[in-house]
Structure formats: structure tokens, C-alpha cells
Amino acid sequence: MSVQAAPFFPAPPRLRGIVEELRRDEPILFGLSVLILSLMPLTALAALLDDRLFGGVSVWQKPWKFELALLTYALTLAFFARFLPAGLTARRGYRLYSGAVALAIVLELAWIGAAAALGTASHFNATPTGQAIYNLMGLLAVLLTSISAFYAWGIARNPRMGLAPVLHLSLVLGLALVLPLTLITAGFMSASGGHAVGAAAGAEGANGLFLMGWSREHGDLRVPHFFATHAMHFVPAFGLVSAWVWGGARTRPVWLFSAVYVGLVAYAFAEALSGRPFLPFL
């Protein structure tokens, strides 16, 4: 009697059913994603019509980048929700938690957009009102990041999901790394009063790396923060490659990659603290 090996990944749904599956698996985060996606063209249009600058870049650059980042975050979680224990997302407690996370993201984007419209800083605003809002944003950021750890816990408790062991582990590790790495990198950046290390006042946004905006002249704490929050993408992506190359049962490569990834975050963090740009040859 032969035993059929578990597939590396469940069969992909038909293209026209992807949206419906995302909505079914996590309707709150899916609805949030639709909302953010509808805002992005409006923010891009505002950038075209409004030529004001803040920190050397368009006042609308930060809102658009945050919309893109949080859209990616929400859609990723909506997709990963299919790997949680059956019935978990339908529970009232989870819906309240997911709704609170969605509200935190909406409030973050609302303030960042409002600050752009006012031509002021959304982060590290020295005014009493700005400081109060920024402190609230910090609490909301912890809340919205915490759901990645919750997903890691839920997926770890659900071995019956049709995934090969290497992919199961890569999902758990990638999601589990987000919260602690983000708390360290973003927490230090918040306590430092800015993301630039060694930059002249007012020059924090100048001469940035294309698309990312990372400084090419001084240390930038946004770099380790970026890699910290995207562990949930890089580690599972490596898990998929590992399954193709070494087979779905070998989990050691994912453990090694996760350790190297933490090392990368630590390296980028150390470089930023030393006032040096990340990979200056880019």
C-alpha cells in the first residue's frame, strides 16, 4: 500500500476565486485592504496636484508608503488566515481583536494623511498635540503588530493544514519574528526622536534610496525596522524555495535562514546606530 506524500503547498485556487477566498477567510482584514487600496490612487493624485515638500520630499510620500506597507500587511494576514485552526476567525473574541487591529490601522493612516494635509510631521512632532498623538500611535502600532504573533501561535497549533513541514515552520517563524524584532527596532527609533543618525537637521529625507527612501549619506533606523516587519514575507518565501530545492520535510534550512535573517536585522541596526548607510554602494 503506497502512501502519497503531502504536497508542498495546497493547490492554488482559480484566479477568479482568490478575492472571494480572501474575503471568506478573513473578512475584516480583507475589507480593510479594500479600503486602503481605494485610498492609494487618491493619495497619489494629491501628490501630483500638491507640490509642497516636507523634509525634502513630497508631503504625500509618507502617507502613500504607509498605505502600501499596511495594505501588504493586511492582505498577507488575510491570506495566512486560512492556515489558522478551523473556526478560529469566526469566534467573537477573534473578531473583536481583528476589528481592533483594523481600527488601529485606520487611525494610523488617518493621522498620517491629516499631517500631510497640514504640512506637518506625523512622527516625532515636537508640539504637545503632536507628541500626544504620536504616543497614541505607538500604542496602536504595538496592537496592530501583535496580531502577527497571534497568527504564529495559531498556525503552530494547527498541523492539519495541508502544508509540508518546511512551509508550516517558515510561516510560524516568519510571523513570530515580526513582533520582537519590530519592538526593538521601532521602539528604539521612537525613543531616539527620529530615524536619522548623523544627519544635519532638516536633511533627513534628502538623497534617499529609490522607492525605499533610505539615506545614502547617514544612518537610517528605518532599514532594520523594514526588515523586522517583513520577516513574515522573507522567511516563508525562503521556506517555499527550500521546499523546491531540498524537499518539504527538511526544516533545518529554514531554521538556519531565520537565524541569518535575525543577524541581518542586527547588522542593519548596528550600521544605522553607527551613522553609516545600509549597503552604501546601492
Side-chain angles (χ1 to χ4, degrees):
M1 178 178 178
S2 62
V3 178
Q4 186 176 2
F8 290 156
F9 207 83
R14 289 175 298 180
L15 182 60
R16 62 184 179 182
I18 291 177
V19 172
E20 178 57 30
E21 289 203 3
L22 288 172
R23 187 200 64 78
R24 180 201 64 201
D25 293 334
E26 223 303 352
I28 294 175
L29 293 179
F30 173 77
L32 172 66
S33 301
V34 173
L35 173 63
I36 299 174
L37 189 60
S38 68
L39 291 175
M40 293 182 69
L42 300 178
T43 305
L45 179 62
L48 291 175
L49 299 177
D50 187 350
D51 60 0
R52 290 177 300 156
L53 301 179
F54 188 87
V57 298
S58 169
V59 295
W60 296 103
Q61 183 183 97
K62 178 174 284 188
W64 197 89
K65 288 172 66 176
F66 268 79
E67 287 166 2
L68 177 60
L70 291 171
L71 171 66
T72 303
Y73 184 68
L75 275 179
T76 302
L77 291 173
F79 177 76
F80 287 167
R82 68 189 61 196
F83 303 124
L84 292 170
L88 177 61
T89 58
R91 296 177 185 175
R92 184 170 183 270
Y94 173 84
R95 292 199 303 269
L96 290 173
Y97 179 38
S98 180
V101 168
L103 178 61
I105 291 175
V106 169
L107 292 176
E108 291 265 354
L109 292 177
W111 166 238
I112 294 170
L118 295 171
T120 189
S122 58
H123 295 66
F124 316 114
N125 192 313
T127 66
T129 300
Q131 281 293 321
I133 295 176
Y134 184 59
N135 291 336
L136 175 60
M137 286 176 61
L139 295 176
L140 294 177
V142 173
L143 171 61
L144 69 91
T145 308
S146 70
I147 196 171
S148 60
F150 177 83
Y151 268 50
W153 172 79
I155 293 173
R157 293 177 59 246
N158 184 27
R160 298 179 180 178
M161 62 180 68
L163 288 178
V166 64
L167 289 175
H168 188 187
L169 177 64
S170 67
L171 285 175
V172 173
L173 291 179
L175 286 162
L177 287 174
V178 172
L179 182 60
L181 292 180
T182 300
L183 287 179
I184 293 171
T185 56
F188 186 90
M189 181 164 57
S190 177
S192 300
H195 61 78
V197 180
E204 295 88 349
N207 191 26
L209 181 67
F210 174 71
L211 185 63
M212 305 307 300
W214 300 338
S215 173
R216 301 292 79 215
E217 298 177 349
H218 53 74
D220 197 327
L221 291 167
R222 293 175 299 182
V223 180
H225 179 32
F226 170 85
F227 286 113
T229 57
H230 286 284
M232 64 191 295
H233 301 107
F234 284 107
V235 177
F238 177 82
L240 186 59
V241 173
S242 179
W244 287 337
V245 175
W246 293 292
R250 294 190 60 183
T251 59
R252 180 174 295 180
V254 173
W255 284 108
L256 293 175
F257 179 82
S258 299
V260 171
Y261 193 85
V262 172
L264 171 64
V265 175
Y267 168 76
F269 194 31
E271 287 289 281
L273 292 178
S274 299
R276 294 189 294 268
F278 179 72
L279 302 181
F281 54 83
L282 293 178

